[in-house]
Amino acid sequence: MIDINDITVRIGAKVLLQNATAHISDGQKLGIVGANGCGKSTLFKVLKNELDTETGSLFITPAHKIAFVEQEFADFNVKLIDFVLNKDTERKELLEQLETASDMELSNIYERLNMIEASSAEARASAILNGLGFSNSDLQKPIKEFSGGWQMRMALAATLFQPSDILLLDEPTNHLDLEASIWLESHLQKYAGTLLLISHDRHILNAICNYIIHFDNQKLVTYSGDYDTFKRTRDMQKILLQKQAVKQEKKKEHLQSFVDRFRYKASKAKQAQSRIKMLEKMDDVALIEDNAATRFSFPNPLELAPPLISVEDGVIGYGEKVVLRNLNFSIGEEDRIALLGANGNGKSTLAKLIADRLKLMEGKIHRNNKLKVGYFAQHQAEELPLDQTPTEFMSRLMNENSESKVRSHLASFGLEKEKALTMIEKLSGGEKAKLLFAAMSYEAPALLILDEPNNHLDMDARDALVTAVNNYTGAVILITHDLHLIELIADDLWLIKDGRCKAFDGDLQDYRNILLNTDSDKKQNTKKEKTEKKKIDYNEAKLITSQIKRLERELDKLHLKKEEIELKFADLSDAQEIVSLQKDLAYVQNQMNEVEQEWLNLSEKL
């Protein structure tokens, strides 16, 4: 059990929590959400006893063991498997005691080792490491041989292996690929203790959490249910409070009107005084105020003749090492493709080929000679000039002397006013990601490649990214561990595995089941037994689903066009121009009716 009672937490002059309270029962799985910088990670420091509260009290059941990911390694020469096994300190100490124990002590030590299932420890540790993407051959390698990203994974593995009653995880999927994220989700669902999870990954919050703690105006507000339930509840509360505020304002106006009319009339003076007291006792309704919504906007490209890119019998790699072979594909102007496959299988290598940053070793590639590609990769943030402002950086990149044009483009990705004039070294990870979006898109590319675009984006910015990509009229290649992002953007899935790239015959749930080996043998046998008709039905359904998504994007664009035309009416007085606009509006409305009818027909067929 964790009891947080009226705590106040301050970092420097900034108050993050003030008289905040929350009660967490054993076995609950809670998502911790709130705007970047609100104090989520600071709360974890308080729970880990690394930071004192200014006021209030914190109670955690004394016998409970707390596990959290540690960022530092005591010994970089230790083998990976031993590093993880050593996190079970009781097992380690008992094994060390065996070397010097007397005959009488041995039986007690062995009994305790049996109770903590020490004999299966190595198998359990190996399963966790395999789930997070490490091969069996990796287990005997020293920590120093792994990159920083893989060291973050091994730190997470050690935390998951460590016996615990309370597990604190802060953005655990940030350094994982999709495959490891799916495994982690399954593992956490089975965790028997109390889980507190800080995450901007909507899918994992929905899949795991049965409670949400929201940082709201320096308070902790607990909601029952997953993240989507929290959002619906909060939106409903916002609407109800707004209605109450309007109702109360009308009541205040009515009371004030009576006071103004009869305050100095002797026969009504008592009634007027009574209403004055009523007005004084009426508190303002506390409305729920969120930060201004983030908005992104990718400039739409000129239409190009398809295909944008096609590859025949392609082979790619580095030096003499082949990474992918037998590449045969084409990308059209409205394709939305998500690349699946574990880290190291070649997703980013394929992205570099498409972005023209890597040449074919063998085969043929055809590109539309007018094709421009916007390429986003997280490592690019490390290459940004830290001693420049976003405005200076984009001015040089765009070769643009007009600061207003540069500032306008930056503003389309949320870098407005002072943020556009702040040194890049002082920008947050999310703000640097927004700058990279601006840098990749200023030429209005016909193809966007997004390689883990949302690692440093908060929930609001991730929603803005989805909206912007779905409003964008060009093609998209997506690499991400965020299932929610794939579900909302991608129409097609390509699986990169065993040195090949091919269309994946299934949806994300099928892929998830394969990764978790859920009835995998049965699924393979069932696939072989399918009739040709069933295969045709499945492929037709997949095609219809893709067409429906395209129609929905087209409808969104037509709605925007209609709104733009309607706004123009307010500024017109010339009859001829009004008639011309009315014709444009009728044309757009006719297009909307046709698209809506086609959408209805396809939805009914599906």
Side-chain angles (χ1 to χ4, degrees):
M1 182 178 72
I2 302 173
D3 261 325
I4 300 169
N5 296 305
D6 292 323
I7 66 169
T8 297
V9 180
R10 185 193 305 269
I11 298 293
K14 185 177 181 180
V15 176
L16 297 173
L17 290 171
Q18 188 163 33
N19 303 122
T21 295
H23 173 80
I24 300 168
S25 299
D26 288 345
Q28 288 184 341
K29 291 184 170 70
L30 300 103
I32 314 295
V33 302
N36 282 350
C38 67
K40 301 186 292 292
S41 297
T42 302
L43 175 63
F44 272 18
K45 288 183 179 179
V46 172
L47 295 175
K48 292 185 287 185
N49 203 27
E50 294 176 359
L51 182 69
D52 291 330
T53 62
E54 194 171 285
T55 62
S57 63
L58 172 69
F59 173 81
I60 300 175
T61 305
H64 281 1
K65 298 175 183 175
I66 301 178
F68 50 88
V69 179
E70 297 186 43
Q71 308 294 334
E72 296 180 1
F73 297 88
D75 182 4
F76 282 89
N77 293 309
V78 69
K79 291 178 183 177
L80 172 56
I81 187 65
D82 291 333
F83 168 72
V84 174
L85 288 170
N86 289 342
K87 275 296 179 177
D88 187 344
T89 53
E90 183 181 7
R91 172 186 171 275
K92 183 184 177 185
E93 289 169 2
L94 287 170
L95 291 175
E96 288 172 352
Q97 289 172 21
L98 281 176
E99 298 176 8
T100 58
S102 66
D103 291 342
M104 290 184 64
E105 292 171 329
L106 282 175
S107 61
N108 290 332
I109 294 173
Y110 280 121
E111 184 179 351
R112 184 57 190 163
L113 284 169
N114 285 332
M115 287 182 67
I116 65 173
E117 299 179 328
S119 61
S120 65
E122 189 161 345
R124 287 185 280 115
S126 299
I128 291 171
L129 287 164
N130 291 158
L132 291 175
F134 293 94
S135 66
N136 287 330
S137 61
D138 288 333
L139 306 188
Q140 302 303 320
K141 294 178 182 177
I143 290 173
K144 64 183 179 184
E145 290 190 15
F146 295 91
S147 66
W150 284 98
Q151 287 178 0
M152 289 301 298
R153 289 197 192 203
M154 64 180 69
L156 174 60
T159 304
L160 297 177
F161 175 75
Q162 178 183 347
S164 64
D165 303 293
I166 299 170
L167 180 58
L168 309 179
L169 294 179
D170 190 346
E171 297 289 358
T173 60
N174 264 8
H175 297 277
L176 304 182
D177 53 21
L178 175 63
E179 290 66 26
S181 295
I182 288 173
W183 177 88
L184 178 64
E185 173 195 320
S186 176
H187 183 83
L188 293 179
Q189 285 171 338
K190 299 167 190 170
Y191 178 67
T194 304
L195 172 66
L196 276 70
L197 174 66
I198 297 173
S199 181
H200 290 121
D201 188 325
R202 186 191 298 255
H203 176 85
I204 205 166
L205 290 171
N206 282 331
I208 293 170
C209 299
N210 46 27
Y211 290 89
I212 298 293
I213 290 182
H214 180 236
F215 275 66
D216 188 356
N217 195 26
Q218 300 176 338
K219 297 287 190 290
L220 298 174
V221 184
T222 304
Y223 294 80
S224 177
D226 60 16
Y227 181 81
D228 283 349
T229 303
F230 149 71
K231 279 290 291 178
R232 286 194 298 270
T233 304
R234 184 171 163 80
D235 289 344
M236 196 178 297
Q237 287 175 344
K238 196 185 300 184
I239 292 168
L240 289 173
L241 286 171
Q242 286 172 339
K243 287 181 178 178
Q244 286 178 21
V246 170
K247 187 176 180 180
Q248 181 163 297
E249 191 59 35
K250 287 182 179 178
K251 187 175 182 180
K252 280 184 176 181
E253 288 174 2
H254 177 73
L255 291 172
Q256 189 64 49
S257 174
F258 185 93
V259 170
D260 293 342
R261 285 170 59 200
F262 300 115
R263 187 172 195 169
Y264 302 107
K265 192 171 182 179
S267 61
K268 298 284 186 179
K270 284 187 178 180
Q271 294 177 46
Q273 285 300 316
S274 173
R275 283 161 173 76
I276 289 172
K277 289 178 181 178
M278 289 172 66
L279 280 168
E280 289 172 348
K281 289 179 180 179
M282 289 176 70
D283 293 326
D284 291 334
V285 175
L287 296 174
I288 294 176
E289 294 185 10
D290 292 321
N291 295 328
T294 304
R295 298 186 187 280
F296 295 160
S297 179
F298 290 105
N300 285 323
L302 297 172
E303 289 187 15
L304 300 179
L308 301 179
I309 297 176
S310 63
V311 175
E312 295 177 28
D313 300 322
V315 177
I316 52 174
Y318 304 95
E320 296 182 359
K321 182 185 177 184
V322 172
V323 177
L324 297 173
R325 60 175 70 251
N326 295 339
L327 294 173
N328 289 281
F329 63 83
S330 65
I331 299 173
E333 60 181 344
E334 288 194 352
D335 281 346
R336 304 294 168 103
I337 301 160
L339 303 184
L340 309 179
N343 272 8
N345 279 9
K347 299 190 298 291
S348 295
T349 302
L350 180 61
K352 288 175 184 175
L353 171 71
I354 295 170
D356 203 16
R357 300 189 179 194
L358 186 67
K359 301 300 180 185
L360 282 177
M361 297 167 72
E362 296 177 24
K364 297 178 182 178
I365 185 167
H366 170 74
R367 298 176 183 274
N368 187 302
N369 56 16
K370 294 183 179 179
L371 175 64
K372 293 176 182 176
V373 178
Y375 185 36
F376 177 99
Q378 277 296 338
H379 68 82
Q380 293 170 346
E382 300 167 8
E383 301 166 9
L384 290 170
L386 301 181
D387 59 344
Q388 295 180 18
T389 66
T391 302
E392 290 169 341
F393 171 67
M394 286 304 302
S395 294
R396 289 181 174 85
L397 195 63
M398 296 169 66
N399 194 24
E400 178 59 66
N401 293 322
S402 170
E403 185 174 322
S404 62
K405 287 183 180 179
V406 173
R407 295 283 292 272
S408 175
H409 184 63
L410 286 169
S412 65
F413 292 96
L415 293 173
E416 301 178 87
K417 301 173 184 174
E418 69 275 4
K419 290 298 179 184
L421 299 174
T422 301
M423 286 294 179
I424 292 173
E425 66 177 344
K426 294 183 179 179
L427 297 180
S428 68
E431 288 161 350
K432 287 176 182 174
K434 294 173 185 179
L435 179 55
L436 290 176
F437 290 138
M440 69 177 281
S441 64
Y442 74 94
E443 290 186 302
L447 170 62
L448 299 181
I449 299 175
L450 303 172
D451 191 345
E452 295 294 358
N454 54 2
N455 270 0
H456 295 287
L457 300 182
D458 60 21
M459 207 74 79
D460 189 37
R462 290 183 182 209
D463 290 342
L465 178 62
V466 169
T467 302
V469 173
N470 283 335
N471 287 337
Y472 169 72
T473 57
V476 178
I477 303 292
L478 178 65
I479 303 171
T480 181
H481 65 262
D482 190 330
L483 283 165
H484 183 71
L485 197 65
I486 295 174
E487 287 168 346
L488 293 180
I489 290 176
D491 297 333
D492 299 293
L493 305 175
W494 288 3
L495 177 60
I496 299 176
K497 186 179 179 183
D498 300 328
R500 303 286 192 275
C501 173
K502 59 181 181 180
F504 180 69
D505 184 19
D507 57 19
L508 279 175
Q509 187 58 45
D510 293 327
Y511 187 57
R512 184 179 186 279
N513 290 339
I514 289 169
L515 290 175
L516 298 175
N517 295 318
T518 306
D519 298 329
S520 57
D521 293 334
K522 189 193 296 183
K523 285 178 178 291
Q524 291 299 322
N525 292 334
T526 304
K527 279 190 176 182
K528 290 176 184 177
E529 295 167 4
K530 279 184 178 179
T531 63
E532 285 302 312
K533 183 179 183 304
K534 285 181 179 176
K535 287 181 181 177
I536 292 167
D537 288 346
Y538 179 84
N539 290 332
E540 187 178 4
K542 189 177 176 184
L543 177 62
I544 292 171
T545 303
S546 176
Q547 290 172 335
I548 286 173
K549 285 187 177 182
R550 286 198 172 98
L551 289 172
E552 287 170 347
R553 289 199 295 271
E554 194 173 336
L555 269 176
D556 288 340
K557 293 170 195 169
L558 288 169
H559 276 294
L560 286 172
K561 194 176 288 185
K562 182 183 176 186
E563 289 175 5
E564 288 172 4
I565 294 171
E566 288 172 341
L567 285 171
K568 289 179 182 177
F569 276 109
D571 301 324
L572 291 182
S573 56
D574 183 81
Q576 192 171 354
E577 289 181 346
I578 291 173
V579 169
S580 177
L581 267 184
Q582 286 173 335
K583 288 180 180 178
D584 291 343
L585 185 61
Y587 176 73
V588 170
Q589 186 62 57
N590 187 51
Q591 281 186 306
M592 286 174 64
N593 292 340
E594 290 177 2
V595 173
E596 283 174 353
Q597 188 57 52
E598 189 177 352
W599 182 90
L600 286 169
N601 293 340
L602 286 172
S603 297
E604 187 176 348
K605 189 174 182 182
L606 184 64

